[in-house]
């Protein structure tokens, strides 16, 4: 056997070994992914919550002098106790709204009620609004609704189907909060592991910088955008549920989307206040509800400075696309995870673009 043939033999043998090893690694990675896939959203949301709450965890450890595990347990229990009731109320309200809407879309029938007489007494637009509503509810109902309903049926069924599991999504959120507390208890170890992984992927110089960039982006988006929108959703949604507003849970989700889009929640609260006044009248309970809804709708103006939301260095279209895409692909949990993941990917991409590779040292020596 000639030397050239021996070289070709060993090269082909070595290349075959590389392909075999790569194939085995790929099979192992795919198998691990299939096993871990049912828990992926839960673990991602747990990690986001742990990273978000970790600065508070560190401050409480220093202030109270307790062990990290005890402080993590305290934060988890307090958070679950605060969120349990409103989350369950909103989840059940959304579930009822989704069930009724699905039954309506599948049945193909829609009934528009006659307008209340009190609307006609509104200044400027009252009489015109009353007449238009009455016309649609009576003469035009059979034609207009039947023409529009087939076009809306497909999209409505898809959206309502995604929202149907919202109750399970809220329960998953509570479970993620508990797992996030466990992750916080081992925060120092997790930080070192994250830096080690990033350093192994990007080098010892860029690794810590990338880990810090991801951490800062997660906290900024989770606190300054998603966190504020979630708190505002709870505040507004509780008022809607207590007042018995139809579709209170779905309206609360609309407040969440507006908050992520950085639009005022008053776009939802003001029409609801008008609706409640028109149906219930100017009673003491309605007045209290109206004042509470206005204050809750403006709560983001107070929460943003407290939660450092104004320092989010991610374009709002990126956050909005992440929220909508996450909701379509992952339901209610995807609505929270999507903006954070897309924001992290956006920051990492631009970090890669703005950090060009260094020229090889060999070229520098040759030029000299």
């Amino acid at each position: 056997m000639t030397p050239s043939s021996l070289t070709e033999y060993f090269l082909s043998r070595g290349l075959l070994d590389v392909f075999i090893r790569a194939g085995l690694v790929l099979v192992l990675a795919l198998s691990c992914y299939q096993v871990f896939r049912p828990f992926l959203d839960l673990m991602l949301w747990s990690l986001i919550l742990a990273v978000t709450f970790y600065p508070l965890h560190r401050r409480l450890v220093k202030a109270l002098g307790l062990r990290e595990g005890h402080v993590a347990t305290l934060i988890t229990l307090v958070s679950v106790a605060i969120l349990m009731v409103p989350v369950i109320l909103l989840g059940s309200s959304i579930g009822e709204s989704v069930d009724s809407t699905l039954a309506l879309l599948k049945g193909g029938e829609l009934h528009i009620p006659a307008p209340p007489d009190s609307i006609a007494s509104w200044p400027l637009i009252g009489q015109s609004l009353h007449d238009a509503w009455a016309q649609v509810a009576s003469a035009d109902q059979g034609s207009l609704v039947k023409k529009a309903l087939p076009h809306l049926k497909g999209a409505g069924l898809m959206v309502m189907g995604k929202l149907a599991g919202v109750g399970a999504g809220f329960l998953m959120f509570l479970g993620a909060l508990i797992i996030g507390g466990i992750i916080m208890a081992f925060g120092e170890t997790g930080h070192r592991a994250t830096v080690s992984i990033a350093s192994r992927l990007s080098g010892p110089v860029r690794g810590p910088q990338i880990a810090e960039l991801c951490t800062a982006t997660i906290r900024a988006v989770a606190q300054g955008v998603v966190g504020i929108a979630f708190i505002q959703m709870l505040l507004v949604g509780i008022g809607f549920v207590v007042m018995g507003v139809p579709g209170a849970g779905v309206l609360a989700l609309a407040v969440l989307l507006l908050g992520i889009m950085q639009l005022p929640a008053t776009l939802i609260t003001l029409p609801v206040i008008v609706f409640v006044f028109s149906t219930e009248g100017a009673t003491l309970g309605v007045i209290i509800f109206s004042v509470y809804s206005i204050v809750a709708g403006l709560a983001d103006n107070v929460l943003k400075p407290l939660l450092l939301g104004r320092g989010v260095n991610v374009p709002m279209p990126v956050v909005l696309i992440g929220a909508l895409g996450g909701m379509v692909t992952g339901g209610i949990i995807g609505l929270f995870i999507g903006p954070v993941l897309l924001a992290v990917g956006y920051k990492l991409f631009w970090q890669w673009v703005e950090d060009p590779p260094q020229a090889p040292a060999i070229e520098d020596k040759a030029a000299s």
Side-chain angles (χ1 to χ4, degrees), residues 142-222:
S143 59
L144 179 63
V145 174
K146 290 182 179 179
K147 289 180 180 178
L149 194 59
H151 300 285
L152 299 176
K153 188 174 182 179
L157 287 175
M158 183 189 69
V159 174
M160 290 298 112
K162 290 294 181 181
L163 295 178
V166 71
F170 279 135
L171 292 178
M172 185 181 293
F173 169 76
L174 294 177
L177 191 59
I178 296 174
I179 298 176
I182 299 174
I183 296 175
M184 277 191 294
F186 300 93
E188 291 295 335
T189 304
H191 175 71
R192 289 194 297 267
T194 302
V195 173
S196 299
I197 295 172
S199 300
R200 183 67 179 86
L201 294 174
S202 304
V205 176
R206 296 180 181 177
Q209 297 175 357
I210 290 178
E212 183 62 28
L213 176 65
C214 294
T215 301
T217 304
I218 290 173
R219 286 175 184 160
V221 177

